[in-house]
Amino acid sequence: MKAAIRGLYAVTPDITDTRELEAKVEAALLGGAALVQYRNKTADARLRSLQADALRTLCRAHGVPIIINDHVELATTLDVDGLHLGKEDGLLPQARARLGADKLLGASCYDQLDSAVAAVQAGADYVAFGSFFPSTVKPGAVRAPLALLRNAKRELSVPIVAIGGITPDNAAQVIAAGADAVAVISALFSAPDIRAVAERFKKIFETTLQT
């Protein structure tokens, strides 16, 4: 059974020290992160494999799914819970064929609803839109309007993830507009107290969905 896409979706920063990365991710998990995506754009293949394997063990100990960004070979070799692809990272039908039907497949769709519709038709289990706010990770990223989330909610039957500059101060806006999950890097992993920030995001979901 595939995991639900809902809540805080913790996306890892580029960190070469695997023990430091594990400590940061564990703090996020203890604070209530519902999913973890291993993303490292600077690591070589050996380090990616080492870090992804370590995080797989950690996430399974906490009962939280782990998803690999970009690398279908790594995702299948380690038998993680899923794969996330951007528009330059590969074709969704081929990725679905490699992963099998029981793994999660996500797709970045930026500010394009038509791309999201096509991604779902190609086998994506969830779609991600953004950037909704200025992002330090991708300062030049295209900006997506909040109305996109409302439109996507009406047209799509899969979970919707919001990404890009999301913080505890603005997360309620994207959740209220229709995001099932918020993908966060900097506001979470650059915080002095990662666990406390994760707890705050979890509380924001609870209170926003009650209103």
Side-chain angles (χ1 to χ4, degrees), residues 64-88:
V64 170
I66 181 167
I67 294 169
I68 299 293
N69 179 277
D70 296 356
H71 299 279
V72 64
E73 189 69 36
L74 183 60
T76 54
T77 299
L78 293 180
D79 191 30
V80 296
D81 300 286
L83 175 73
H84 186 92
L85 294 177
K87 65 180 179 180
E88 307 297 338

Side-chain angles (χ1 to χ4, degrees), residues 12 32 34 39 51 55 61 63 72-73 80 82 105-106 114 127 141 158 194 206 209:
T12 62
R39 176 187 185 275
Q51 291 187 339
L55 294 187
V72 64
E73 189 69 36
V80 296
L105 180 59
D114 57 345
V127 295
V158 300
I194 294 170
E206 292 170 354
L209 295 175

Side-chain angles (χ1 to χ4, degrees), residues 111-195:
D111 63 339
Q112 301 166 6
L113 183 54
D114 57 345
S115 292
V117 172
V120 173
Q121 293 172 345
D125 296 297
Y126 72 90
V127 295
F129 295 109
S131 173
F132 287 96
F133 307 101
S135 169
T136 57
V137 175
K138 290 186 176 181
V142 64
R143 292 288 292 277
L146 289 174
L148 176 61
L149 293 171
R150 292 187 283 269
N151 294 336
K153 200 71 175 178
R154 286 195 296 267
E155 294 199 29
L156 302 175
S157 59
V158 300
I160 297 165
V161 178
I163 191 169
I166 296 173
T167 71
D169 293 326
N170 60 33
Q173 296 180 50
V174 293
I175 297 167
D180 297 288
V182 291
V184 183
I185 304 176
S186 299
L188 179 63
F189 289 111
S190 295
D193 189 337
I194 294 170
R195 180 172 180 171

Side-chain angles (χ1 to χ4, degrees), residues 5-48:
I5 307 292
R6 191 171 189 83
L8 174 59
Y9 188 160
V11 181
T12 62
D14 292 353
I15 295 176
T16 56
D17 186 324
T18 302
R19 288 189 178 182
E20 178 188 356
L21 179 63
E22 286 181 278
K24 286 178 177 288
V25 170
E26 183 160 36
L29 291 168
L30 290 170
L35 299 97
V36 172
Q37 181 185 129
Y38 172 64
R39 176 187 185 275
N40 192 324
K41 295 294 187 179
T42 61
D44 59 22
R46 179 180 176 279
L47 181 59
R48 276 198 305 270

